[in-house]
Amino acid sequence: MPKVKVDGVEIEVPQGATVLQACELAGKEIPRFCYHERLSIAGNCRMCLVEVKPGPPKPQASCALPAADNQEIFTNTPMVKNAREGVMEFLLINHPLDCPICDQGGECDLQDQSVAYGRGSSRFEENKRAVTEKYMGPIVKTVMTRCIQCTRCIRFAEEVAGVEEIGAIYRGENMQITSYLEEAVTSELSGNVVDLCPVGALTSKPYAFEARPWELKKTLTIDVMDAVGTNIRLDSRGRQVLRCVPRINEDVNEEWATDKTRHAVDGLVRRRLDRPFVRRGGKLVEATWDEAFAAIADAAKGVGDSVAVVSGDQADCETLFAAKALAKSFGSLLLEGRQTGMDYDTSSLAAVNFNTTIAGAETADVILLVGTNVRWEAALVNTRIRKAIKKGAKVFAIGPEVDLTYKVEWLGDDLAVLGNLPAAVTDAFAKAERPMMIVGGAAMKGAQGATLALVDKLGLIKDGWNGYNVLHFSASRMGGLMLGYARKDGISDLYGAKLTFFLGADECDFAKFTGFKVYIGHHGDAGAHHADVVLPGASYAEKSGTWVNLEGRVQRGERAVFPPGDAREDWTILRALSEKLGKTLPFDTLEELRAAMAVDCPDLATLGLVKFPWNPPALDAKAEGVLAGYPIKDFYLTNAICRASPTMQRCSAELVHGETFAEAAE
């Protein structure tokens, strides 16, 4: 490990570290615009200049200079100070004075660094250049005159998102950043370029001119748009969430978030259920809470133990546990979370878990995808697979061919191939040190046994490594399975129940449920339309809750805003209803509920990764069936919040269905 001196202090740095990283290890702040620790080095903004000895008597770009033994690095000499002031002066030559109307104001790297490292005055008197606006789609708003050509957006699109649709045209002062043919960027991760942009050239189009950062209340919570469990921060003002941005969690989402995670929040204030409804004369009419509870109490008379609960894709563990406790008070265990009819063996949680872990996926050296469109089902797992490929991993896949943003050797869409894998696959797995298989929802019914039979054949389990993974795409799925929300024959077991509670479930085949239907949810979607009683609940932004992601990681989110109107947190609704039904649940506060839930499922008591013991069930190893498609048909419209979001509707229309939109001149 090289030893260097930074401003007279000797430190040891890792082999391969740059001078910039050495300075940061020494506690020195180095300004930068183009450098980003998750992207390749560009070395084109020159803001990170330092003085290095031995070396030429001039400032050097620290981001692109390797640290070496016996280097002396100086970060605050007059030469360095003058060089940074000069670079900043050049960067600001053409930058417009847009700060009062720029959405980046208050959280702009250029603002901060110009104050800290700039001259305070400019000697430039010529006319500033202007750049025409570019169109990058419904998510990203461009003001390209502000661009300082750091190329972070280009590198992100190519290296992380895997969609090479942003690039540079022309040269020198005339260089411009644009999308390919100035069309919408088709990546589901495009919103991340807004966070990466160090100036106001790329900002959030749906959030434009909405608020300043110092006006907003910031709440740390967990995303529920998929099963990754992205760590997010919700920024709210008053009773409305205005923005969602990712938080850094190296084990889960690094610092990225999908466009659905970021921009579905405008659906939180549309199509909301804000008061109870009761069906009378075939129509849903407004009612009081007492009237709604009385209607349910009447329907519950004489039902015996014929009470069922169907969980939606976004339900938190507290709601699931309260509903389970209510069903048990009737003597029922008719609980199901796979509302779309998925049917697979859940007797072993390890056999339905993402055992490699999300972060571990990037270390795999050969990967077999079975019945999964990872790009849509878990976009941030897809970015980890891209990392693995950069390190030399090879990917095989069974299913209909789709663009996963990397090279895949497709083996066809017949699940029978699992019983007779080509030699190229078996040879690759035989040589692999970290082999990995990812099984998606499309293959779980017809091929669960066949994939489990391959665990030994392909050597998926080694010392400290479990390469067998099931990819869920519902935020509530793993928590529901831990709490028993799975029947042997799937949701069909529940069709005949006399009283059924739907916890935000909108994707069911409601016509098959013959009994009395109670919907507890937050949006007027399919579930509310088919219900006999509708009870307005809280969305993920309006309650404190526990969610378990696809790798079995227990995480908690906090409430950002209060539910609208008469809506209440879901578990409190169930607690109040239980009293009306004469089956009072034994908890009055969230803390008491969590204590009771910890007794029922101890794994939910502690935050962090749950280690499930590997004890797979013995299933029929025969695989049959041809995969006609994947469970997610439209990435942007997978739940009620998304379907209520104008931004997600626009993304779906333009990016999935190919509609075109005329842009008004600004």
Side-chain angles (χ1 to χ4, degrees), residues 133-144 153-154 165-167 176-180 182-187 190-191 193 201-203 205 259 654-655 663:
E133 303 311 346
K134 314 300 180 188
Y135 181 69
M136 290 192 180
I139 298 296
V140 181
K141 173 183 168 66
T142 66
V143 185
M144 299 312 292
C153 53
I154 297 174
E165 295 179 359
I166 303 178
Q176 297 181 22
I177 307 294
T178 180
S179 59
Y180 180 65
E182 295 194 26
E183 293 186 351
V185 179
T186 59
S187 172
S190 65
V193 300
L202 304 177
T203 56
K205 188 174 283 186
D259 292 349
E654 187 167 355
L655 303 178
E663 285 289 301

Side-chain angles (χ1 to χ4, degrees), residues 6-228:
V6 180
D7 291 340
V9 178
E10 186 172 87
I11 62 166
E12 201 171 39
V13 299
Q15 193 68 41
T18 63
V19 169
L20 186 150
Q21 291 168 327
C23 293
E24 295 206 323
L25 284 171
K28 302 295 181 181
E29 182 181 344
I30 303 296
R32 85 290 299 268
F33 291 113
C34 68
Y35 175 80
H36 192 279
E37 54 271 17
R38 299 186 200 278
L39 304 176
S40 61
I41 293 170
N44 56 7
C45 78
R46 318 311 284 182
M47 194 64 208
C48 64
L49 295 174
V50 296
E51 190 177 345
V52 180
K53 294 180 181 178
K58 63 176 184 178
Q60 299 192 61
S62 60
C63 70
L65 185 65
D69 264 327
N70 302 318
Q71 270 181 342
E72 286 192 72
I73 305 164
F74 302 94
T75 66
N76 53 11
T77 62
M79 179 197 290
V80 172
K81 183 174 183 294
N82 288 334
R84 289 175 180 170
E85 287 179 354
V87 169
M88 181 60 72
E89 194 172 2
F90 275 116
L91 287 174
L92 293 175
I93 277 178
N94 285 310
H95 194 81
L97 296 176
D98 275 353
C99 299
I101 60 161
C102 176
D103 272 323
Q104 201 84 340
E107 46 193 7
C108 173
D109 292 348
L110 188 63
Q111 278 184 338
D112 297 341
Q113 293 184 40
S114 63
V115 169
Y117 303 102
R119 282 172 52 92
S121 62
S122 174
R123 293 169 287 178
F124 186 76
E125 295 179 352
E126 288 79 3
N127 292 330
K128 291 179 181 284
R129 73 165 188 154
V131 180
T132 55
E133 303 311 346
K134 314 300 180 188
Y135 181 69
M136 290 192 180
I139 298 296
V140 181
K141 173 183 168 66
T142 66
V143 185
M144 299 312 292
T145 301
R146 301 171 185 159
C147 178
I148 61 169
Q149 292 136 13
C150 71
T151 69
R152 280 186 182 181
C153 53
I154 297 174
R155 286 174 283 148
F156 172 83
E158 180 181 347
E159 297 166 16
V160 180
V163 178
E164 299 179 6
E165 295 179 359
I166 303 178
I169 56 176
Y170 313 132
R171 300 181 68 184
E173 188 189 23
N174 295 319
M175 177 177 163
Q176 297 181 22
I177 307 294
T178 180
S179 59
Y180 180 65
L181 298 180
E182 295 194 26
E183 293 186 351
V185 179
T186 59
S187 172
E188 59 287 333
L189 298 169
S190 65
N192 291 291
V193 300
V194 172
D195 289 348
L196 287 172
C197 184
V199 297
L202 304 177
T203 56
S204 170
K205 188 174 283 186
Y207 176 69
F209 311 125
E210 287 288 335
R212 288 298 193 188
W214 54 84
E215 299 177 68
L216 304 174
K217 183 183 82 170
K218 299 169 174 60
T219 307
L220 309 184
T221 188
I222 304 299
D223 173 55
V224 297
M225 297 297 150
D226 56 25
V228 171

Side-chain angles (χ1 to χ4, degrees), residues 228-283:
V228 171
T230 301
N231 287 218
I232 57 173
R233 189 189 79 209
L234 294 178
D235 291 353
S236 57
R237 185 176 59 196
R239 301 192 67 163
Q240 183 174 351
V241 175
L242 294 178
R243 183 171 67 166
C244 172
V245 293
R247 292 184 284 137
I248 295 177
N249 187 321
E250 300 295 348
D251 294 325
V252 182
N253 57 293
E254 299 180 284
E255 63 181 78
W256 315 127
T258 68
D259 292 349
K260 187 163 54 174
T261 296
R262 287 175 180 275
H263 295 295
V265 291
D266 59 356
L268 291 172
V269 293
R270 292 169 170 85
R271 302 185 189 173
R272 288 302 301 267
L273 298 171
D274 58 359
R275 58 182 64 89
F277 289 85
V278 175
R279 192 172 296 278
R280 293 180 182 140
K283 292 185 177 181

Side-chain angles (χ1 to χ4, degrees), residues 14 28 34 87 127 168 182 248 257 262 288 362 386 395 398 416 431 442 455 470 520 535 553 579 586 605 651:
K28 302 295 181 181
C34 68
V87 169
N127 292 330
E182 295 194 26
I248 295 177
R262 287 175 180 275
T288 64
E362 67 184 57
R386 284 185 54 79
V395 181
I398 299 171
K431 298 172 187 173
V455 170
V470 171
I520 303 174
L535 303 177
R553 187 178 301 276
E579 200 168 325
C651 287

Side-chain angles (χ1 to χ4, degrees), residues 415-646:
L415 290 172
V417 75
L418 288 167
N420 187 24
L421 288 170
V425 179
T426 54
D427 290 348
F429 273 85
K431 298 172 187 173
E433 293 182 7
R434 288 176 166 252
M436 184 169 78
M437 176 163 59
I438 300 178
V439 185
M444 282 298 281
K445 184 169 185 177
Q448 185 184 11
T451 58
L452 286 169
L454 289 173
V455 170
D456 292 332
K457 185 177 179 181
L458 298 179
L460 296 180
I461 297 183
K462 302 179 185 294
D463 187 27
W465 175 264
N466 186 335
Y468 183 82
N469 303 292
V470 171
L471 189 77
H472 300 299
F473 43 86
S474 302
S476 65
R477 186 59 45 81
M478 277 307 294
L481 294 179
M482 291 167 72
L483 287 167
Y485 275 74
R487 299 288 296 177
K488 185 177 181 181
D489 295 323
I491 201 168
S492 59
D493 270 4
L494 281 60
Y495 289 153
K498 295 178 181 176
L499 173 62
T500 305
F501 292 92
F502 296 89
L503 307 178
D506 294 294
E507 324 299 331
C508 304
D509 187 349
F510 291 95
K512 293 183 178 178
F513 289 88
T514 57
F516 193 86
K517 296 184 274 291
V518 179
Y519 179 81
I520 303 174
H522 40 78
H523 277 75
D525 209 83
H529 285 293
H530 289 89
D532 296 300
V533 173
V534 175
L535 303 177
S539 72
Y540 73 103
E542 297 150 6
K543 58 186 171 186
S544 298
T546 304
W547 287 271
V548 185
N549 76 349
L550 54 83
E551 60 182 346
R553 187 178 301 276
V554 181
Q555 302 184 109
R556 280 193 183 142
E558 300 301 323
R559 178 176 61 198
V561 293
F562 288 96
D566 289 338
R568 298 290 182 267
E569 292 184 42
D570 303 35
W571 76 265
T572 64
I573 295 173
L574 292 161
R575 169 62 180 80
L577 177 61
S578 70
E579 200 168 325
K580 188 74 174 180
L581 296 174
K583 300 179 183 293
T584 305
L585 296 178
F587 43 79
D588 296 319
T589 65
L590 184 62
E591 289 71 26
E592 291 176 1
L593 185 156
R594 284 177 172 166
M597 183 170 69
V599 173
D600 184 74
C601 183
D603 285 335
L604 292 174
T606 308
L607 301 185
L609 199 63
V610 178
K611 293 291 185 183
F612 301 111
W614 180 252
N615 53 349
L619 303 174
D620 185 358
K622 184 180 180 183
E624 51 188 27
V626 175
L627 298 178
Y630 300 106
I632 295 180
K633 308 300 181 189
D634 189 330
F635 172 78
Y636 298 99
L637 301 178
T638 52
N639 58 61
I641 298 175
C642 291
R643 289 189 285 269
S645 163

Side-chain angles (χ1 to χ4, degrees), residues 338-408:
R338 299 165 294 180
Q339 55 171 324
T340 56
M342 282 189 184
D343 180 12
Y344 46 84
D345 189 291
T346 61
S347 58
S348 167
L349 289 179
V352 290
N353 186 50
F354 201 90
N355 297 294
T356 302
T357 72
I358 295 171
E362 67 184 57
T363 66
D365 45 16
V366 62
I367 303 166
L368 175 62
L369 306 176
V370 185
T372 176
N373 178 359
V374 191
R375 183 175 174 182
W376 277 11
E377 293 169 17
L380 295 178
V381 173
N382 208 45
T383 62
R384 303 283 188 161
I385 295 175
R386 284 185 54 79
K387 278 189 172 184
I389 291 170
K390 286 180 183 177
K391 297 172 186 174
K394 191 167 186 180
V395 181
F396 303 93
I398 299 171
E401 293 190 21
V402 291
D403 178 12
L404 295 176
T405 73
Y406 43 80
K407 185 179 178 182
V408 179

